[in-house]
Amino acid sequence: YMGAFTAGGLRVKVDDGKLSIAKEGRIKKFVDEVREVTFSGDQAMKEGQNVIYITERAVFKRSFEHPVLELVEVAPGIDVEEHILPHMEFAPVISKNLKTMDPRIFTSGPMNLLSNEFGVNFEDRVSYDSEPHVIYFDWSGMTLSSQEDVDDLRSLYETKLQAVTSSKGPVDAVINLDNFDCRDTVVDAFAELANDMERKYYKSVSRYGGHAFFRQRLAGHLKLQSADELFTRFDADKNGLVSAAEVRSGLLQMAINVSPGGLRRIMRWHRFPTPTCTSTSLACGVRGVRMCVRA
């Protein structure tokens, strides 16, 4: 959602790459109560959705991690204590990784978006868990459009993977490909890169994504996680059943927070049969094995 932070006479100025409030709006828009609900953030959380609220001075997010509003970005020139908190009827969670909005937004020159389609630095998309020796790559929402992009990605892969495998050997890799895409001219180059990394550094690799078009284009190049593989990963006690605790634990190990709605989407992506039971007992056949998930 996008809109002004306050209403009723708000005037802002942009000067030297910074935002300033020339006149504050009389009406607060982030309030405790409303007359009518047209979109429910609570329901969105239950469905596993992230909700982003973008204003001229701040960006907020609601997610599984923070069921209340979280302040994640602030415009350059804006002070949280002076320009944000006093103009809200409730206190948001302040992100531990509070960022400044992209300064290009507040300048008059070209933003050169085509040269930076990734949206965030590669470094922000990689994390490593020394126990149990798992590396996570979050390529969600990225688009590779040139050979230079692929070369930059290869350089990052090599640097990170060499560091984590030099002492402990091949690593388990988890890669988020949700809404990831390649231009036609670099699909083969990316597939070659992915296969090289798997051959040189991975003990195992799990790739996840909900972008059906991209999955189809890379068919035959990359192996996406199957229903059987998911079941084996989740069935920690090997009793032929997967409990809610096992599902959530397995997904958290992959840096995925799961809600009932999110779980249903994951099952659809991996071709699980459509659930026919109640929301409190989700029963799904997986190639002859009955998988029961209790919410």
Side-chain angles (χ1 to χ4, degrees):
Y1 294 91
M2 298 180 66
F5 186 73
T6 60
L10 172 66
R11 294 206 311 268
V12 300
K13 294 193 302 183
V14 175
D15 185 37
D16 195 26
K18 295 183 179 181
L19 180 73
S20 62
I21 309 300
K23 181 182 179 182
E24 189 60 80
R26 300 184 305 275
I27 303 171
K28 295 179 180 179
K29 297 175 70 174
F30 288 83
V31 297
D32 285 323
E33 297 182 359
V34 294
R35 293 181 180 179
E36 179 181 325
V37 176
T38 56
F39 173 83
S40 172
D42 291 338
Q43 185 61 36
M45 298 305 98
K46 293 177 182 178
E47 293 296 325
Q49 298 174 336
N50 289 333
V51 186
I52 306 295
Y53 304 87
I54 302 174
T55 74
E56 79 286 344
R57 71 187 77 177
V59 177
F60 300 89
K61 180 174 74 171
R62 284 198 66 181
S63 65
F64 188 87
E65 295 92 334
H66 292 293
V68 297
L69 211 63
E70 178 186 15
L71 176 63
V72 295
E73 291 188 22
V74 176
I78 293 297
D79 180 85
V80 174
E81 298 293 335
E82 180 182 356
H83 301 118
I84 296 178
L85 298 184
H87 307 287
M88 302 178 68
E89 290 188 358
F90 58 89
V93 171
I94 308 298
S95 173
K96 295 180 180 179
N97 189 29
L98 184 63
K99 297 179 179 179
T100 301
M101 290 184 186
D102 190 329
R104 294 176 299 176
I105 299 172
F106 303 94
T107 59
S108 59
M111 294 182 68
N112 298 316
L113 293 177
L114 288 178
S115 65
N116 184 27
E117 293 190 23
F118 301 115
V120 298
N121 190 294
F122 276 143
E123 296 287 338
D124 296 333
R125 292 178 173 263
V126 183
S127 60
Y128 172 65
D129 186 354
S130 59
E131 293 296 336
H133 194 40
V134 179
I135 192 165
Y136 301 95
F137 296 101
D138 180 12
W139 304 147
S140 59
M142 280 189 359
T143 298
L144 299 180
S145 57
S146 68
Q147 184 61 48
E148 183 180 1
D149 292 340
V150 177
D151 292 341
D152 288 343
L153 189 59
R154 179 181 288 274
S155 177
L156 175 77
Y157 264 123
E158 294 281 4
T159 299
K160 295 295 185 181
L161 290 169
Q162 285 178 7
V164 302
T165 60
S166 59
S167 60
K168 300 185 68 172
V171 65
D172 292 315
V174 178
I175 305 173
N176 181 8
L177 294 174
D178 191 23
N179 291 315
F180 176 93
D181 201 6
C182 283
R183 297 290 186 256
D184 291 335
T185 55
V186 295
V187 169
D188 289 341
F190 173 69
E192 180 182 1
L193 162 63
N195 288 328
D196 285 348
M197 298 303 103
E198 184 168 356
R199 176 176 49 82
K200 293 169 63 175
Y201 299 110
Y202 297 158
K203 179 180 178 182
S204 69
V205 58
S206 302
R207 299 182 178 93
Y208 297 86
H211 197 303
F213 180 61
F214 179 72
R215 289 159 64 100
Q216 181 64 31
R217 289 172 66 187
L218 283 186
H221 287 295
L222 302 177
K223 179 184 177 184
L224 291 169
Q225 195 85 344
S226 70
D228 279 348
E229 290 169 325
L230 275 178
F231 186 88
T232 300
R233 176 183 286 268
F234 292 160
D235 188 16
D237 57 11
K238 308 303 178 187
N239 67 348
L241 296 174
V242 175
S243 67
E246 286 174 318
V247 171
R248 293 190 177 98
S249 175
L251 290 173
L252 285 172
Q253 289 179 24
M254 294 180 274
I256 301 172
N257 287 306
V258 65
S259 67
L263 181 58
R264 286 192 291 272
R265 277 191 294 277
I266 290 169
M267 291 162 62
R268 286 198 299 271
W269 295 342
H270 301 291
R271 305 183 187 277
F272 285 82
T274 302
T276 57
C277 50
T278 67
S279 61
T280 57
S281 179
L282 214 55
C284 310
V286 184
R287 297 187 181 181
V289 180
R290 191 165 182 80
M291 173 179 179
C292 294
V293 180
R294 302 197 178 275

